[in-house]
Amino acid sequence: FFVFFLFHGKCAIIQPLCDKKGDFMLKRPIFLAGLVCLAGTTGAFFAPVIWLTPLLLLLGLSVGLLLRPEERKTLMLSTFCGLLCCLSVFCWQDRAEQLRSFAGETVRLEGMVTDVQIGTGWVRHEVRVDLLGKAETMSLFSYEEEPLSPGQRFTALVELAETDPRYRGMNLGLQGSTLELVDNGEDNGLIAVALRIRSALIHRMEKLFHGTGREILMGLLLGEKAALSYETQEIFEKSGTAHLLTVSGFHISMMVGGIFAFLKILGSGPKTAATATIPLIFLLVLVEGMTVSVVRAAVMSTIFYLAAILERDYDGLSAWGFALICTLLYSPELLFSRSFLLSYGAVLGILLFQQKIYNYIVELLPLPSSDSRWLR
């Protein structure tokens, strides 16, 4: 029934994706693949039998053989992406079991500091370390050692423990208490350079601005909440605007769009400006922090400017689907993150219903139509 409704437009929520004949727009196979990946990831986590979801996907593929050749190709691509997401979930669950076995052990770790929070009598380093052949992010708590700066490499003797369930959600990560911490100097990698740029920006704003203005500015530009006072946080929470102090896709889009417009003002053509903007997108992601909404906006913005370079039409739903596939393949556990659900859900709602809502408002109020020259 899911395949039938999706391809023949009988479901109301799929109507914006269908043409006048009710057939699914075949130019959006990536969007369909994203929906199947979302369903496959959810099923892989919650299915009572571990292989039930892959079997259902293969069953749907066999049903799809009755469709037309064009639709069959689209369904095969979607099923393949869904099966990859199921495999990603199984690999994540297996790795979580392996990581859990390290809890209670004392090990020597090497890695890089990505963030530092200093409290009364304690320091928490957010670090990236290599465990079982893959980079793992965790928190290391220190009670006597001096704090290290972001971008510094270190060697530490750490007593590992499982992350507190109240803060980890479905992510079975590790945290540790450092028994010994040695500074190995600055890392020269791209991520370390971006972290040092972020740290320099924070120190610069601390010198130039003071009081509440500095707190809000650091929150708006860098999503830095450590500097926020309790009074400022309370004001924003009561007014329902606390999300403004967290870097999101909106911030990335505005920054990247501003860079693109500035390059055009300087005389660059659309292709040249887009080519110069794409590397800056990745630098912004590293500086602002690789949160779910920031990565989603970066992927969709990159596709937008690639479309301008290749002189192709940009399709927001396809870009949304591609970003969703990349996110779920790399970190399927983000399915249980509120940031993931809100970010992707809000953008999908905008892409599906923004035009219909706008047209409805135009009928009520004397506003310019969507194809007017003023909007362009």
Side-chain angles (χ1 to χ4, degrees):
F1 282 112
F2 172 76
V3 173
F4 179 79
F5 285 150
L6 198 57
F7 276 89
H8 296 278
K10 303 301 181 182
C11 183
I13 198 172
I14 305 299
Q15 284 293 343
L17 311 179
C18 303
D19 58 18
K20 296 180 180 179
K21 298 179 181 179
D23 291 331
F24 185 79
M25 289 185 176
L26 296 178
K27 72 173 185 178
R28 289 192 174 111
I30 301 298
F31 174 69
L32 175 60
L35 293 179
V36 174
C37 283
L38 184 60
T41 304
T42 305
F45 271 114
F46 290 105
V49 181
I50 189 171
W51 294 108
L52 179 60
T53 302
L55 289 176
L56 290 176
L57 287 173
L58 293 175
L59 179 61
L61 180 61
S62 63
V63 174
L65 296 177
L66 304 176
L67 301 173
R68 294 176 300 180
E70 298 84 0
E71 297 173 340
R72 191 183 309 136
K73 293 178 181 178
T74 301
L75 186 61
M76 290 181 65
L77 173 63
S78 303
T79 305
F80 177 72
C81 292
L83 290 172
L84 285 180
C85 281
C86 291
L87 179 61
S88 178
V89 171
F90 300 151
C91 292
W92 177 85
Q93 291 174 334
D94 181 65
R95 180 173 175 80
E97 291 292 334
Q98 294 179 357
L99 289 177
R100 192 184 304 172
S101 64
F102 282 94
E105 295 187 5
T106 300
V107 298
R108 186 170 297 275
L109 299 176
E110 293 184 3
M112 181 184 67
V113 178
T114 58
D115 193 17
V116 180
Q117 293 187 7
I118 302 176
T120 305
W122 58 268
V123 177
R124 186 176 75 181
H125 293 96
E126 296 292 333
V127 300
R128 288 171 59 89
V129 296
D130 291 329
L131 277 176
L132 301 177
K134 182 180 179 182
E136 187 75 21
T137 302
M138 66 172 62
S139 299
L140 298 183
F141 292 88
S142 304
Y143 300 96
E144 296 180 0
E145 293 85 357
E146 291 294 326
L148 302 182
S149 302
Q152 298 287 114
R153 294 202 63 82
F154 69 92
T155 301
L157 186 64
V158 180
E159 183 179 351
L160 296 177
E162 288 190 40
T163 307
D164 192 326
R166 294 175 296 175
Y167 305 110
R168 75 186 181 206
M170 285 294 295
N171 185 7
L172 299 178
L174 294 173
Q175 63 183 19
S177 300
T178 58
L179 306 176
E180 178 185 340
L181 185 64
V182 179
D183 185 359
N184 293 336
E186 292 185 349
D187 190 286
N188 296 321
L190 181 60
I191 295 179
V193 172
L195 291 172
R196 286 196 285 271
I197 292 175
R198 177 185 175 89
S199 181
L201 290 173
I202 291 175
H203 291 315
R204 186 66 176 171
M205 284 188 282
E206 288 176 345
K207 290 183 178 180
L208 295 178
F209 304 97
H210 303 279
T212 307
R214 179 176 66 186
E215 298 175 12
I216 297 175
L217 186 62
M218 292 174 67
L220 288 173
L221 294 181
L222 298 174
E224 187 67 30
K225 292 186 176 182
L228 291 176
S229 64
Y230 175 78
E231 292 78 10
T232 303
Q233 291 187 46
E234 188 178 21
I235 291 172
F236 276 87
E237 288 175 0
K238 288 184 176 180
S239 62
T241 56
H243 60 279
L244 296 177
L245 301 179
T246 302
V247 175
S248 63
F250 170 77
H251 296 76
I252 296 297
S253 300
M254 291 296 292
M255 291 180 187
V256 172
I259 294 171
F260 179 77
F262 179 71
L263 291 175
K264 291 190 67 176
I265 291 174
L266 294 180
S268 301
K271 289 187 178 181
T272 303
T275 304
T277 301
I278 289 177
L280 296 177
I281 294 176
F282 295 99
L283 180 61
L284 274 176
V285 170
L286 295 176
V287 172
E288 298 288 354
M290 298 180 64
T291 61
V292 174
S293 56
V294 168
V295 172
R296 177 199 53 75
V299 173
M300 295 182 68
S301 298
T302 301
I303 295 175
F304 176 82
Y305 291 109
L306 281 176
I309 296 172
L310 300 175
E311 297 182 350
R312 302 289 296 272
D313 292 334
Y314 171 76
D315 184 66
L317 288 171
S318 297
W320 179 90
F322 183 76
L324 181 64
I325 294 171
C326 294
T327 301
L328 292 178
L329 284 177
Y330 185 74
S331 298
E333 74 277 6
L334 290 176
L335 181 68
F336 301 92
S337 166
R338 288 175 294 177
S339 300
F340 171 85
L341 297 174
L342 288 172
S343 178
Y344 279 93
V347 172
L348 179 61
I350 292 172
L351 293 173
L352 287 178
F353 304 113
Q354 178 267 340
Q355 189 63 51
K356 286 192 172 184
I357 294 174
Y358 183 85
N359 293 338
Y360 179 73
I361 295 176
V362 168
E363 295 177 358
L364 298 178
L365 301 174
L367 296 176
S369 60
S370 59
D371 58 349
S372 88
R373 188 175 180 181
W374 176 77
L375 284 179
R376 295 177 186 174

